C-alpha cells in the first residue's frame, strides 16, 4: 500500500529506512532502532504527522517491543496509528498491522484483556477494509488465534485457526509467497495447539501440511521462507519429543538450525 506513495525528493528517507530494515532483518535490533530513529528524522522533514513518519514509528515501535522497551514501543505505535489515521482516515489499511503490534505489546506486558481487545480490533478493521477473502484478514484472524492459544483458550483458538485457514484458502494465487507463508504459519499454529491438547493424530496431519507448504515456499530461495520452514521444524521437534522420538527430534532440530543459519546468519537473534 505505502510503496505506491512516493516522491522524487524522499530518497534520503528511503535510504535510511532500507538500512534500518536490513539491520532488523539481520536481528541487529539495537542498530535497527538507531536506524529507524534516523529515518524518522528524515521522514519528519515532510511534516510531523505524515504517512512516512507513521511508517517509521510503526517499525521503531516493533523494534522497541522486541528489545523489551515497552513504554517506548507503546508511544511509537500509538504515534504511528495517529499518523496513519490523519493521513488516510479512520479506517486506514496500514493501521491493521499497527493495531496487531499493539496487541502483541500488551500481551508481552501481561495485559491479556487489552491484547485480545486489540487483536479483535485489528481483525474487524481488516475485514472492513480488505474483506474476508483477503490474505491480510486471514493473517489478522491467525494472530488472534495465536493469542487465544497462548492464553489457554483452546476451543476459541481452534475455531479461529480453522476460520483463518478457510479465509487463506480463498486467496486466488496459491503460489504467492505471502499466501504460502501465511498458510505455513496457520498450519503450524493449529498443529502446536493440537500437540498441547494431546490430539496427536490431528497434530500430525496439520504439521505435515505446514511442512509441505513451508518446503514449497523455501523452494523460491527467499530468506523469510527458509526461516519459516525452520520454525515449523522446531514444532516438529517438539512433537517428536512429546512422542518419545528423541532421535528424530534431534534430527529436526539440527535441520532447523542449519536452515536458520543459512537464511538469517549466525548473528541473528533467532
Amino acid at each position: 500500500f505505502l510503496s505506491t506513495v512516493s516522491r522524487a525528493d524522499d530518497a534520503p528517507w528511503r535510504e535510511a529506512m532500507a538500512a534500518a530494515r536490513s539491520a532488523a532483518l539481520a536481528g541487529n535490533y539495537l542498530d535497527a532502532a538507531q536506524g529507524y530513529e534516523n529515518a524518522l528524522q528524515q521522514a519528519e522533514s515532510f511534516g510531523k504527522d505524515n504517512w512516512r513518519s507513521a511508517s517509521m514509528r510503526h517499525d521503531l515501535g516493533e523494534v522497541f517491543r522486541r528489545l523489551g522497551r515497552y513504554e517506548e514501543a507503546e508511544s511509537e505505535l500509538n504515534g504511528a496509528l495517529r499518523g496513519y489515521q490523519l493521513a488516510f482516515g479512520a479506517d486506514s489499511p496500514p493501521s491493521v498491522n499497527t493495531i496487531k503490534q499493539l496487541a502483541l505489546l500488551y500481551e508481552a506486558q501481561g495485559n491479556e484483556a487489552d491484547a485480545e481487545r486489540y487483536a479483535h480490533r485489528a481483525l474487524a478493521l481488516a475485514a472492513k477494509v480488505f474483506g474476508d477473502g483477503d490474505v491480510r484478514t486471514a493473517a489478522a484472524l491467525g494472530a488472534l488465534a495465536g493469542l487465544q492459544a497462548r492464553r489457554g483458550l483452546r476451543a476459541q483458538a481452534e475455531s479461529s485457526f480453522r476460520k483463518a485457514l478457510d479465509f487463506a484458502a480463498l486467496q486466488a494465487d496459491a503460489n504467492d509467497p505471502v499466501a504460502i507463508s501465511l498458510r505455513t504459519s496457520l498450519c503450524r499454529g493449529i498443529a502446536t495447539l493440537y500437540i498441547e491438547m494431546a490430539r496427536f493424530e490431528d497434530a500430525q496431519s496439520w504439521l505435515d501440511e505446514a511442512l509441505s507448504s513451508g518446503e514449497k515456499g523455501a523452494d523460491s530461495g527467499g530468506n523469510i521462507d527458509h526461516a519459516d520452514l525452520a520454525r515449523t521444524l522446531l514444532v516438529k521437534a517438539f512433537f517428536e519429543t512429546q512422542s518419545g522420538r528423541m532421535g528424530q527430534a534431534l534430527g529436526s532440530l539440527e535441520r532447523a538450525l542449519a536452515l536458520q543459519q543459512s537464511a538469517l546468519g549466525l548473528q541473528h537473534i533467532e
Side-chain angles (χ1 to χ4, degrees):
F1 178 81
L2 296 179
S3 63
T4 63
V5 187
S6 181
R7 281 171 45 169
D9 58 351
D10 66 3
W13 163 70
R14 289 187 177 274
E15 290 173 4
M17 174 182 64
R21 288 185 173 169
S22 178
L25 184 61
N28 299 325
Y29 295 127
L30 287 173
D31 289 346
Q34 292 178 352
Y36 282 128
E37 287 171 338
N38 178 38
L40 178 58
Q41 288 182 344
Q42 296 285 343
E44 287 181 341
S45 67
F46 297 93
K48 188 171 182 180
D49 287 316
N50 66 88
W51 69 265
R52 295 172 183 80
S53 298
S55 177
M56 293 304 91
R57 290 189 185 281
H58 170 97
D59 290 346
L60 185 56
E62 180 177 355
V63 167
F64 281 154
R65 176 183 65 80
R66 292 179 180 276
L67 289 170
R69 293 163 60 175
Y70 295 144
E71 289 186 9
E72 293 167 286
E74 184 173 16
S75 176
E76 295 299 340
L77 290 170
N78 279 319
L81 196 58
R82 181 181 64 251
Y84 284 144
Q85 290 172 344
L86 286 172
F88 303 119
D91 296 332
S92 65
S95 294
V96 173
N97 281 337
T98 303
I99 296 169
K100 283 165 58 179
Q101 281 296 321
L102 281 163
L104 290 172
L105 172 64
Y106 293 134
E107 182 185 13
Q109 292 176 305
N111 187 345
E112 294 182 345
D114 278 347
E116 186 158 359
R117 180 165 64 87
Y118 271 76
H120 277 289
R121 182 180 167 188
L123 174 60
L125 181 57
K128 182 176 183 179
V129 300
F130 302 129
D132 287 348
D134 191 278
V135 67
R136 290 162 290 189
T137 305
L141 184 53
L144 174 62
L147 174 63
Q148 291 168 331
R150 291 188 293 274
R151 291 189 63 190
L153 305 174
R154 291 174 173 171
Q156 294 179 37
E158 180 182 15
S159 175
S160 295
F161 272 127
R162 287 189 172 276
K163 189 174 181 181
L165 284 159
D166 287 343
F167 283 1
L170 296 175
Q171 179 68 24
D173 186 1
N175 294 316
D176 175 49
V178 175
I180 293 172
S181 179
L182 173 62
R183 179 162 180 80
T184 301
S185 176
L186 293 173
C187 291
R188 183 173 61 238
I190 197 170
T192 303
L193 176 67
Y194 285 145
I195 293 169
E196 294 171 348
M197 296 171 69
R199 291 172 54 177
F200 295 131
E201 186 174 340
D202 289 330
Q204 183 68 68
S205 176
W206 284 109
L207 188 55
D208 289 343
E209 286 282 338
L211 285 168
S212 175
S213 180
E215 287 168 349
K216 181 179 181 181
D219 285 341
S220 69
N223 286 351
I224 295 176
D225 291 322
H226 278 92
D228 210 31
L229 177 56
R231 296 183 189 101
T232 304
L233 286 167
L234 290 175
V235 174
K236 182 173 183 285
F238 171 58
F239 179 44
E240 289 162 343
T241 299
Q242 294 295 102
S243 306
R245 294 174 286 167
M246 303 306 295
Q248 293 180 35
L250 180 60
S252 295
L253 283 171
E254 290 174 343
R255 187 181 172 203
L257 179 59
L259 279 169
Q260 285 180 318
Q261 289 177 345
S262 173
L264 303 175
L266 290 172
Q267 302 303 315
H268 195 281
I269 195 169
E270 292 190 20

